[in-house]
């Protein structure tokens, strides 16, 4: 019963927030092709580290006690003064992943949309984030056909990003992720 209650809570949290902008794979690819432009960084996005590249390390654990450790590099840019576009290929992924993060003014929530950079991607995974008051911590919730549902906490510091994720299918935990992303490249300074 607890597992079913958690699934219902996830759906209730996501449902009303879906009235904001929905990102399609085509739109994600369009944004990924645009240049980095940090001439204006909106206040809601200033909680994120300003970096052009990261090394991401994570430990993935499953309920049977197995653990896998992965590290990979990602690139990041800000486009149109609104969208953070992150690209990287985790070990074992079929192709590069592209993630777009933005702040939705209409729903006052953060949004993420992720898809694989392959022809005819099968699905875009959407997450909705709520900032914990005036901190640099965001709680994320998401739902997808292939990945089930997920909950995560992301905390930004000037030096790195920490994240913890829990993935569920049919109300049961399928994996947990503990990770961090450390900036390896800062954005180029704008010429005056």
């Amino acid at each position: 019963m607890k597992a079913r209650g958690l699934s219902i809570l996830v759906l209730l949290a996501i449902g009303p927030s879906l009235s904001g902008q929905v990102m399609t794979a085509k739109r994600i690819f369009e944004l990924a092709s645009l240049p980095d432009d940090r001439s204006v960084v909106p206040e809601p996005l200033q909680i994120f580290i300003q970096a052009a590249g990261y090394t991401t390390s994570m430990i993935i654990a499953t309920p049977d006690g197995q653990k896998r450790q992965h590290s990979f590099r990602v690139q990041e840019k800000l486009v149109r003064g609104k969208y953070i576009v992150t690209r990287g290929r985790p070990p074992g992924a079929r192709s590069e992943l592209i993630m777009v993060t933005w702040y939705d003014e209409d729903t006052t929530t953060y949004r993420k949309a992720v898809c694989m950079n392959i022809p005819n991607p099968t699905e875009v995974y959407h997450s909705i984030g709520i900032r914990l008051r005036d901190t640099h911590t965001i709680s994320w919730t998401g739902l997808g056909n292939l990945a089930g549902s997920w909950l995560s906490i992301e905390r930004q510091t000037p030096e790195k990003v920490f994240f913890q994720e829990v993935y569920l299918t049919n109300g049961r935990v399928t994996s947990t992720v503990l990770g961090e992303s450390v900036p390896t490249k800062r954005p180029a300074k704008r010429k005056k």
Side-chain angles (χ1 to χ4, degrees):
M1 188 65 179
K2 284 184 181 179
R4 187 173 183 177
L6 180 59
S7 296
I8 291 169
L9 286 175
V10 169
L11 290 173
L12 288 174
I14 294 173
S17 298
L18 288 178
S19 60
Q21 178 183 10
V22 175
M23 191 70 62
T24 64
K26 180 180 177 183
R27 181 75 174 133
I28 290 171
F29 296 148
E30 287 171 2
L31 292 170
S33 70
L34 296 174
D36 191 359
D37 178 9
R38 298 173 194 253
S39 55
V40 175
V41 179
E43 189 277 326
L45 296 185
Q46 290 177 14
I47 69 166
F48 297 101
I49 296 175
Q50 299 295 304
Y54 293 91
T55 295
T56 296
S57 302
M58 61 178 68
I59 298 171
I60 302 168
T62 54
D64 61 5
Q66 293 185 30
K67 290 185 180 180
R68 293 174 291 156
Q69 193 164 356
H70 299 290
S71 290
F72 60 100
R73 293 189 179 270
V74 297
Q75 298 173 349
E76 190 167 274
K77 60 185 175 179
L78 180 66
V79 298
R80 297 206 168 144
K82 181 175 182 176
Y83 303 100
I84 299 171
V85 178
T86 309
R87 300 176 81 146
R89 186 173 183 162
R94 294 185 319 175
S95 72
E96 176 186 52
L97 295 175
I98 302 174
M99 177 174 67
V100 177
T101 306
W102 71 100
Y103 182 76
D104 187 81
E105 297 282 343
D106 294 337
T107 60
T108 63
T109 58
Y110 289 88
R111 301 296 180 109
K112 281 186 187 179
V114 180
C115 71
M116 297 189 79
N117 190 8
I118 56 176
N120 305 314
T122 56
E123 187 169 2
V124 175
Y125 297 95
H126 293 272
S127 296
I128 297 166
I130 299 171
R131 183 176 175 185
L132 179 62
R133 296 192 183 150
D134 294 330
T135 69
H136 288 238
T137 300
I138 299 176
S139 62
W140 294 94
T141 229
L143 185 64
N145 291 335
L146 299 176
S149 55
W150 56 91
L151 305 167
S152 71
I153 299 290
E154 177 182 284
R155 184 170 55 91
Q156 307 276 332
T157 72
E159 297 83 29
K160 59 180 77 173
V161 180
F162 297 95
F163 56 93
Q164 294 178 293
E165 302 170 341
V166 177
Y167 290 85
L168 304 105
T169 299
N170 297 324
R172 294 190 175 171
V173 173
T174 56
S175 63
T176 60
V177 178
L178 180 62
E180 65 180 28
S181 294
V182 179
T184 55
K185 183 178 177 185
R186 297 291 178 176
K189 298 282 184 190
R190 284 193 65 226
K191 294 180 182 178
K192 293 182 180 183

